[in-house]
Amino acid sequence: MTKLGAARARRRTLRLRALRLHPAQAVVVGFAAAILVGTFLLMLPIAKAGPGGAGFIEALFTATSAVCVTGLTVVDTLVYWTPFGQVVIMLLIQLGGLGIMIFASLIGLVLARKLSVRSRLNAAAEAKAVGLDDVRGLVRGIVLISLAIEAGTFVLLFLRFVFGYGYDVGQAAWYGAFHAVSAFNNAGFALYSDNLMGFVSDPWICLPIAAAIILGGLGFPVIMQLRKEFTKPLHWSMNTKLVLWGTVVLLVAGTVYITVIEWNNPATLGALDPAARVLTGFFHSVQTRTAGFNALDIGVMRDETWLGMDVLMFIGGGPAGTAGGIKVTTFAVLYFIMLTELRGEGAVNIFGKRLSRAVHRQAITVVLLAVAAVMVATVALMLISGEDLDRMLFEAISAFGTVGLSTGVTPGLPDPAKLVLVLLMFIGRLGPLTLGSAIALRERPLLYEYPKERPAIG
């Protein structure tokens, strides 16, 4: 090969490397592509009931909400979309819940029966895997776990719809499948105009859906470890222990908080018998973990309830799963950092293990970026819509946390405000740190260190 040919080959190799996406960038691009495809499909005339196709904003908002497994809607899912449109929404929910890179890896396994190094990197990045060992098993495990939990939820809902409400087999199967997928993926889409308010006191509907939401919100790493080592808690990782303890504490605290404050509210729990009040309080505590179904009218709840739900939605569920928010682990890490500082200890120790200092920086970064995103979006929503702080903060946190609960104002917001929520849902699903890493053009490791100095704190 001549020198000129070798130089051209090197330039071609460099161009190909420049076009190759970092795993974090691949995840962002994959979700964006899925949203665009979903928007196109929902704009087809066959997807919308009545003449013509859906408008761009309606299709974009719904596709983003489905892929980001949020559940916020600007149109009535039952009335506005045809069965074709509803199937598209369900598939987008499943795709977004599994993860774009996980789904792409699954296709690669089915077609080629192997994964390239690049595919393994992308799948591992999305699943928050520590290494590249057995990524193929990881992908298969995630898919099988998802389908198994959805199937179990489907069976329970199907039987209840048939024997409890007289649905025919076809209708019960469709409603059972849609709500099972929506529940496990923490999406909150429902095929009823009032969401699940018609089942407010029915434990045979509320509890299976709540169970699927909780399992989906644990995150795939936790579920997979519990599947292998359920009877060996000493072998559980710090991540698994933090997620399980955090989930139990937040579910109990949320149930008590919502039930107590709304107990005598005649527009919500006050109209139910005591057993149904506790059931509904628990159900809505589960929903704040990023699911978004509602069995009560959120818009008539007390302001104090909204504020508590804001906190629960902001925290969210477990990492590397279908939940959103800053994640339970991030919140727990900050709690233990604070506890360590108050005790005057040097290292942060959790469950008998020392926490890596790199995790301190990551947790603080995630929280600060999340607070900034929510605050900027809330101000923008208030300026655009003219609505008050309570409602706009609730909608912003619900979008960022990919929850889907709403005080009822989202459908009436101006289009620019809806686009703000679209961006928030996208950021919330991917995580501020992942999105920030994807936007960064290159890593710049420093080859030197500056001298240390301590500013005054507090």
Tab-separated table of all heavy atoms in Angstrom, residues 214 244-260 278 281-282 285-286 288-289 312:
chain	number	residue	atom	x	y	z
A	214	ILE	N	-44.689	-2.106	41.932
A	214	ILE	CA	-43.600	-2.217	42.912
A	214	ILE	C	-42.455	-3.054	42.355
A	214	ILE	O	-41.276	-2.680	42.462
A	214	ILE	CB	-44.119	-2.828	44.224
A	214	ILE	CG1	-45.099	-1.858	44.906
A	214	ILE	CG2	-42.969	-3.145	45.168
A	214	ILE	CD1	-45.833	-2.461	46.086
A	244	LEU	N	-34.443	-2.195	48.542
A	244	LEU	CA	-35.498	-2.876	49.291
A	244	LEU	C	-35.896	-2.092	50.540
A	244	LEU	O	-37.091	-1.877	50.802
A	244	LEU	CB	-35.042	-4.283	49.670
A	244	LEU	CG	-34.883	-5.278	48.512
A	244	LEU	CD1	-34.378	-6.611	49.022
A	244	LEU	CD2	-36.194	-5.465	47.772
A	245	TRP	N	-34.913	-1.672	51.332
A	245	TRP	CA	-35.227	-0.897	52.529
A	245	TRP	C	-35.883	0.431	52.175
A	245	TRP	O	-36.867	0.843	52.799
A	245	TRP	CB	-33.961	-0.662	53.350
A	245	TRP	CG	-33.629	-1.795	54.264
A	245	TRP	CD1	-32.622	-2.714	54.109
A	245	TRP	CD2	-34.308	-2.170	55.467
A	245	TRP	NE1	-32.638	-3.626	55.134
A	245	TRP	CE2	-33.659	-3.314	55.998
A	245	TRP	CE3	-35.403	-1.654	56.149
A	245	TRP	CZ2	-34.071	-3.935	57.167
A	245	TRP	CZ3	-35.813	-2.268	57.328
A	245	TRP	CH2	-35.152	-3.394	57.826
A	246	GLY	N	-35.339	1.109	51.170
A	246	GLY	CA	-35.908	2.394	50.763
A	246	GLY	C	-37.330	2.255	50.262
A	246	GLY	O	-38.198	3.084	50.562
A	247	THR	N	-37.592	1.188	49.491
A	247	THR	CA	-38.937	0.956	48.964
A	247	THR	C	-39.940	0.730	50.090
A	247	THR	O	-41.029	1.319	50.096
A	247	THR	CB	-38.927	-0.257	48.018
A	247	THR	OG1	-38.074	0.022	46.899
A	247	THR	CG2	-40.329	-0.569	47.526
A	248	VAL	N	-39.584	-0.121	51.056
A	248	VAL	CA	-40.489	-0.410	52.167
A	248	VAL	C	-40.764	0.860	52.983
A	248	VAL	O	-41.923	1.184	53.300
A	248	VAL	CB	-39.900	-1.508	53.070
A	248	VAL	CG1	-40.729	-1.658	54.343
A	248	VAL	CG2	-39.850	-2.837	52.330
A	249	VAL	N	-39.713	1.594	53.323
A	249	VAL	CA	-39.868	2.796	54.141
A	249	VAL	C	-40.729	3.830	53.432
A	249	VAL	O	-41.656	4.419	54.022
A	249	VAL	CB	-38.488	3.394	54.494
A	249	VAL	CG1	-38.649	4.778	55.117
A	249	VAL	CG2	-37.742	2.469	55.453
A	250	LEU	N	-40.467	4.064	52.149
A	250	LEU	CA	-41.213	5.092	51.419
A	250	LEU	C	-42.655	4.681	51.163
A	250	LEU	O	-43.563	5.522	51.192
A	250	LEU	CB	-40.509	5.411	50.103
A	250	LEU	CG	-39.153	6.124	50.247
A	250	LEU	CD1	-38.481	6.279	48.896
A	250	LEU	CD2	-39.327	7.486	50.907
A	251	LEU	N	-42.895	3.386	50.907
A	251	LEU	CA	-44.267	2.928	50.705
A	251	LEU	C	-45.090	3.084	51.979
A	251	LEU	O	-46.234	3.552	51.944
A	251	LEU	CB	-44.276	1.470	50.249
A	251	LEU	CG	-43.943	1.191	48.785
A	251	LEU	CD1	-43.892	-0.302	48.518
A	251	LEU	CD2	-44.939	1.871	47.858
A	252	VAL	N	-44.512	2.692	53.112
A	252	VAL	CA	-45.229	2.814	54.386
A	252	VAL	C	-45.442	4.286	54.727
A	252	VAL	O	-46.551	4.701	55.101
A	252	VAL	CB	-44.454	2.106	55.517
A	252	VAL	CG1	-45.089	2.394	56.874
A	252	VAL	CG2	-44.415	0.602	55.262
A	253	ALA	N	-44.379	5.086	54.603
A	253	ALA	CA	-44.497	6.513	54.925
A	253	ALA	C	-45.501	7.201	54.016
A	253	ALA	O	-46.316	8.022	54.469
A	253	ALA	CB	-43.129	7.188	54.807
A	254	GLY	N	-45.473	6.868	52.735
A	254	GLY	CA	-46.411	7.472	51.791
A	254	GLY	C	-47.848	7.079	52.076
A	254	GLY	O	-48.761	7.907	51.992
A	255	THR	N	-48.055	5.813	52.428
A	255	THR	CA	-49.406	5.340	52.744
A	255	THR	C	-49.964	6.078	53.962
A	255	THR	O	-51.110	6.559	53.938
A	255	THR	CB	-49.398	3.827	53.016
A	255	THR	OG1	-48.920	3.136	51.860
A	255	THR	CG2	-50.793	3.334	53.358
A	256	VAL	N	-49.173	6.159	55.015
A	256	VAL	CA	-49.616	6.838	56.234
A	256	VAL	C	-49.880	8.313	55.955
A	256	VAL	O	-50.913	8.874	56.365
A	256	VAL	CB	-48.564	6.687	57.354
A	256	VAL	CG1	-48.931	7.536	58.557
A	256	VAL	CG2	-48.434	5.213	57.753
A	257	TYR	N	-48.971	8.957	55.240
A	257	TYR	CA	-49.088	10.393	54.968
A	257	TYR	C	-50.352	10.716	54.169
A	257	TYR	O	-51.157	11.568	54.558
A	257	TYR	CB	-47.845	10.860	54.214
A	257	TYR	CG	-47.788	12.351	53.980
A	257	TYR	CD1	-47.215	13.200	54.923
A	257	TYR	CD2	-48.307	12.921	52.819
A	257	TYR	CE1	-47.154	14.568	54.709
A	257	TYR	CE2	-48.263	14.278	52.597
A	257	TYR	CZ	-47.678	15.101	53.549
A	257	TYR	OH	-47.633	16.458	53.341
A	258	ILE	N	-50.530	10.018	53.043
A	258	ILE	CA	-51.681	10.298	52.184
A	258	ILE	C	-52.989	9.944	52.884
A	258	ILE	O	-53.965	10.707	52.824
A	258	ILE	CB	-51.553	9.525	50.857
A	258	ILE	CG1	-50.355	10.045	50.057
A	258	ILE	CG2	-52.834	9.645	50.030
A	258	ILE	CD1	-50.019	9.215	48.832
A	259	THR	N	-53.022	8.799	53.566
A	259	THR	CA	-54.254	8.347	54.220
A	259	THR	C	-54.670	9.298	55.336
A	259	THR	O	-55.856	9.655	55.460
A	259	THR	CB	-54.078	6.929	54.779
A	259	THR	OG1	-53.671	6.050	53.731
A	259	THR	CG2	-55.377	6.421	55.378
A	260	VAL	N	-53.709	9.715	56.151
A	260	VAL	CA	-54.029	10.590	57.285
A	260	VAL	C	-54.517	11.950	56.805
A	260	VAL	O	-55.545	12.475	57.287
A	260	VAL	CB	-52.796	10.749	58.203
A	260	VAL	CG1	-53.028	11.863	59.226
A	260	VAL	CG2	-52.502	9.438	58.918
A	278	VAL	N	-57.827	2.917	53.501
A	278	VAL	CA	-56.458	2.408	53.662
A	278	VAL	C	-55.948	1.828	52.346
A	278	VAL	O	-54.801	2.068	51.947
A	278	VAL	CB	-56.405	1.351	54.776
A	278	VAL	CG1	-55.011	0.728	54.862
A	278	VAL	CG2	-56.794	1.975	56.112
A	281	GLY	N	-55.235	4.710	50.018
A	281	GLY	CA	-54.038	5.428	50.442
A	281	GLY	C	-52.778	4.675	50.053
A	281	GLY	O	-51.808	5.276	49.557
A	282	PHE	N	-52.786	3.357	50.256
A	282	PHE	CA	-51.645	2.528	49.847
A	282	PHE	C	-51.465	2.560	48.337
A	282	PHE	O	-50.345	2.703	47.832
A	282	PHE	CB	-51.853	1.088	50.319
A	282	PHE	CG	-50.890	0.104	49.714
A	282	PHE	CD1	-49.568	0.062	50.129
A	282	PHE	CD2	-51.309	-0.771	48.719
A	282	PHE	CE1	-48.676	-0.839	49.561
A	282	PHE	CE2	-50.428	-1.670	48.146
A	282	PHE	CZ	-49.101	-1.707	48.569
A	285	SER	N	-49.884	5.724	47.307
A	285	SER	CA	-48.485	5.757	47.710
A	285	SER	C	-47.633	4.995	46.699
A	285	SER	O	-46.527	5.422	46.348
A	285	SER	CB	-48.318	5.138	49.107
A	285	SER	OG	-46.964	5.094	49.487
A	286	VAL	N	-48.149	3.882	46.210
A	286	VAL	CA	-47.450	3.111	45.177
A	286	VAL	C	-47.319	3.936	43.897
A	286	VAL	O	-46.266	3.941	43.246
A	286	VAL	CB	-48.194	1.794	44.889
A	286	VAL	CG1	-47.568	1.072	43.701
A	286	VAL	CG2	-48.183	0.898	46.115
A	288	THR	N	-47.055	7.088	43.442
A	288	THR	CA	-46.049	8.148	43.495
A	288	THR	C	-44.645	7.610	43.249
A	288	THR	O	-43.715	8.394	43.057
A	288	THR	CB	-46.061	8.851	44.861
A	288	THR	OG1	-45.814	7.890	45.896
A	288	THR	CG2	-47.407	9.513	45.115
A	289	ARG	N	-44.484	6.287	43.241
A	289	ARG	CA	-43.181	5.688	42.960
A	289	ARG	C	-42.903	5.683	41.477
A	289	ARG	O	-42.004	5.010	41.016
A	289	ARG	CB	-43.146	4.252	43.482
A	289	ARG	CG	-43.559	4.091	44.935
A	289	ARG	CD	-42.770	4.956	45.888
A	289	ARG	NE	-41.348	4.897	45.624
A	289	ARG	CZ	-40.613	3.797	45.817
A	289	ARG	NH1	-41.154	2.700	46.286
A	289	ARG	NH2	-39.338	3.810	45.559
A	312	LEU	N	-42.198	12.289	47.157
A	312	LEU	CA	-42.140	10.874	46.798
A	312	LEU	C	-41.894	10.690	45.306
A	312	LEU	O	-41.128	9.804	44.898
A	312	LEU	CB	-43.445	10.186	47.202
A	312	LEU	CG	-43.714	10.089	48.709
A	312	LEU	CD1	-45.125	9.588	48.973
A	312	LEU	CD2	-42.687	9.178	49.380
